[in-house]
Amino acid sequence: MGQGPLCVLARHPAVRVAAETCYGQTDVPLAEGWESFAARLAGELAATGVQRMFVSPLTRCRLPAEWIATQGAVKVFPDDRLMELDFGEWEEQPWSLVPRDKLDEWAGDLAGFTPPGGESGDSLIARVTEFWRERLSDGPIAILSHGGPLRVLMALAQGQKPDLTQPAPPLGDIVTFGRMSPPAPAIQPVPTEPPSPPEDHR
C-alpha cells in the first residue's frame, strides 16, 4: 500500500428503525447481528495494525467500537464531528412527510441547503475536513461513522474534493486506504438527480 499511515473507513451496520425514516443524528439502536460487523472490522484492524479508532458517539457506531476495544488493543476516541448530518425538524419523521418542494430544494443544493433547524452540507464538510486535518500526522487509524461524513472522508482519503453527490458506502462496509492525503478545497456539488435520503444518510 505504499508509505504513509493507513486509514480504515467503516460505516455502521443496519439499525432498528421504521423503514423510510429520517434519523440523521437521532440515536437509534442497532439491528440484531451487529456483532458480525464488529468482528469483521476487528479483523481488518488486526490485519492492518490499527490501534486507534475514531468514532461517532451515536450508539450505532459507538457500540461496535466498544465491543472491538474489549477484544484487543484498539483504543476508541468518540468525536462529535463524525456524527451524521443534523436534519433538524426532519429527524425521526417519515421521508414521505417531508414536503416535496423542500426535498427538491435540497437535491438542487446539497451543500448549501439547510433543513429547518438542522445543518447544511457545507457545515458537514467543514467539520469533517477539520477532523481530517488533525489526523494527518497520526499513525494508522480507523474511522467508524455514517453515510454523510463518509462521503467526505472517502474523497479526502484519496486527495479529492468532497462531493456530496457521490454515493455513500453501504451499511456495514469497510474500506482501507494506504495513505492519508491532504484535503482538497471543498466544491459546490451540482447534483444530476434527487438524492436517496433513506439509503445514504444514516
Side-chain angles (χ1 to χ4, degrees):
M1 288 192 177
Q3 299 179 349
L6 288 161
C7 178
V8 179
L9 299 180
R11 186 176 181 185
H12 66 82
V15 297
R16 192 168 70 249
V17 67
E20 304 299 315
T21 298
C22 174
Y23 57 85
Q25 290 194 2
T26 303
D27 201 8
V28 297
L30 285 165
E32 292 184 4
W34 61 266
E35 295 90 346
S36 62
F37 161 80
R40 284 194 296 112
L41 182 53
E44 180 67 12
L45 301 188
T48 54
V50 171
Q51 297 181 337
R52 305 174 72 206
M53 179 161 48
F54 295 85
V55 305
S56 160
L58 296 177
T59 299
R60 55 193 187 266
C61 293
R62 178 178 51 79
L63 191 59
E66 291 176 346
W67 185 93
I68 293 170
T70 67
Q71 308 302 306
V74 177
K75 294 183 178 179
V76 174
F77 303 91
D79 195 308
D80 289 350
R81 292 171 295 183
L82 296 175
M83 293 175 70
E84 182 57 282
L85 185 78
D86 181 358
F87 284 94
E89 296 177 10
W90 295 358
E91 295 274 342
E92 300 184 77
Q93 298 297 312
W95 285 107
S96 60
L97 295 184
V98 177
R100 182 71 247 180
D101 62 326
K102 291 299 182 183
L103 288 176
D104 290 342
E105 187 178 350
W106 179 31
D109 188 4
L110 293 177
F113 178 80
T114 303
E119 70 173 328
S120 68
D122 280 332
S123 175
L124 172 70
I125 291 173
R127 60 176 162 88
V128 174
T129 300
E130 178 186 65
F131 164 85
W132 183 259
R133 290 182 186 276
E134 293 177 5
R135 302 277 74 82
L136 285 174
S137 60
D138 290 352
I141 66 168
I143 301 170
L144 177 52
S145 187
H146 312 268
L150 285 169
R151 291 178 185 220
V152 180
L153 290 164
M154 294 279 285
L156 295 176
Q158 300 173 81
Q160 298 174 359
K161 299 175 182 179
D163 181 354
L164 297 180
T165 67
Q166 295 302 305
L171 293 170
D173 199 38
I174 301 169
V175 182
T176 299
F177 293 91
R179 79 171 58 239
M180 295 170 69
S181 303
I187 61 171
Q188 186 84 347
V190 179
T192 57
E193 59 183 4
S196 180
E199 294 298 326
D200 290 341
H201 288 275
R202 296 177 176 177

